[in-house]
């Protein structure tokens, strides 16, 4: 019995030291990110026109919109999946632009430090569709999906900004579902448009902060039956952690198909700190902080081979959720309006 208690006491001490060390690490990392975010000066990307070999002026999210919609596609080692997704996306956009002259677009591909031919593939599309419609941001080294999307959002020109994955898992035409709901919510929120009436000041859609989240929640039952076991485990566990960290509101935070008005993106992506898998949860948290209306809309989705999510993603997810909880709840992460 004495040996048992000695062993139990030793394990308790080791566990206590581990927990204390983990909490201390999270607090220190949260503090470090608060300092780096405060002192960080954005280095704007350089958009190059491969046809003229000249640099193109770089916009910022604080500027007025120049396009109707911007599509931001983060890409990390997507040499094989990116061409098909871009073909489908640009065919849709070109077809819609041909029917509606007011529909202007840009596609921003953010190469997150790829080691394969992603850069070459992206530049081929820039050459084909011109730098006015397709642009490439090179991050140099891998930062994470969240940082890649943040960078694309900060240097986009659209009234509406859509983030979507490079694998084409969601049909790009589903953006109309999110777009229509944003317009409907904006119409209820306040008047917007290009002119004034009855002496009231009206706003463009870009001026009304709204976030629309594509959702696969309606596919959950089918997914449980067809997905690999570890992805179901990740999904259920992650839902619980999200509920604890950000609260209820959005059932599927991790769908890579989300649309924001320019006003919403300006508030969200100038404050976001998480760089990898959990940045979506931080977006929900920030939407609640700013009282930005959130809409969850079912989209068509299919699982594409080559997903970057695996069992090794779990520690990173838990780490980032811990950082977010400590950072915001202690006030170390300041939110700027």
């Amino acid at each position: 019995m004495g040996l048992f208690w000695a062993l139990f006491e030793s394990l308790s001490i080791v566990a206590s030291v581990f927990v204390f060390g983990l909490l201390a690490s999270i607090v220190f990392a949260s503090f470090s990110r608060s300092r780096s975010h405060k002192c960080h000066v954005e280095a704007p990307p350089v958009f190059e026109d491969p046809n003229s070999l000249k640099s193109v002026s770089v916009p910022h999210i604080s500027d007025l919109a120049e396009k109707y919609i911007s599509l931001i596609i983060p890409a990390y080692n997507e040499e094989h999946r990116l061409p098909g997704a871009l073909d489908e996306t640009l065919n849709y956009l070109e077809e819609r632009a041909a029917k509606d002259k007011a529909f202007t677009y840009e596609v921003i591909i953010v190469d997150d430090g790829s080691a394969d031919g992603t850069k070459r593939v992206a530049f081929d599309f820039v050459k084909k569709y011109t730098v006015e419609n397709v642009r490439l941001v090179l991050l140099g080294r891998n930062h994470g999906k969240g940082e890649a999307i943040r960078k694309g959002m900060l240097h986009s020109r659209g009234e509406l900004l859509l983030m979507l994955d490079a694998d084409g898992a969601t049909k790009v035409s589903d953006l109309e579902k999110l777009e229509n709901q944003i317009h409907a919510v904006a119409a209820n929120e306040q008047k917007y448009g290009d002119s004034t009436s009855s002496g009231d000041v009206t706003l463009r859609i870009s001026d009304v902060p709204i976030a629309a989240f594509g959702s696969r929640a309606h596919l959950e039952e089918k997914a449980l039956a067809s997905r690999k076991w570890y992805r179901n485990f990740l999904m259920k566990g992650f839902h619980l952690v999200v509920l604890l960290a950000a609260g209820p509101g959005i059932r599927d935070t991790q769908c890579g198909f989300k649309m924001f008005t320019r006003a919403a993106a300006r508030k969200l992506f100038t404050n976001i700190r998480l760089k990898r898998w959990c940045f979506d949860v931080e977006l929900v948290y920030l939407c609640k902080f700013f009282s930005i209306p959130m809409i969850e809309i079912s989209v068509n989705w299919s699982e594409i081979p080559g997903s970057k999510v695996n069992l090794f993603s779990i520690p990173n997810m838990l780490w980032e959720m811990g950082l977010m909880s400590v950072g915001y709840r202690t006030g170390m992460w300041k939110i700027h309006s």
Side-chain angles (χ1 to χ4, degrees), residues 68-87:
Y68 174 68
I69 191 168
S70 297
L71 284 73
I72 291 86
I73 303 177
Y76 176 62
N77 292 339
E78 295 288 1
E79 176 184 9
H80 300 294
R81 299 196 298 179
L82 187 60
L86 285 177
D87 275 330

Side-chain angles (χ1 to χ4, degrees), residues 155-176:
H155 301 290
S156 60
R157 296 175 288 168
E159 292 189 67
L160 298 176
L161 292 81
L162 175 75
M163 52 175 271
L164 66 164
D165 291 337
D167 58 5
T170 302
K171 294 295 182 183
V172 67
S173 56
D174 274 6
L175 72 83
E176 295 177 29

Side-chain angles (χ1 to χ4, degrees), residues 140-153:
R141 63 180 179 85
N142 180 252
H143 291 268
K145 181 181 178 181
E147 178 65 10
I149 289 174
R150 186 186 76 90
K151 201 71 169 181
M153 290 281 179

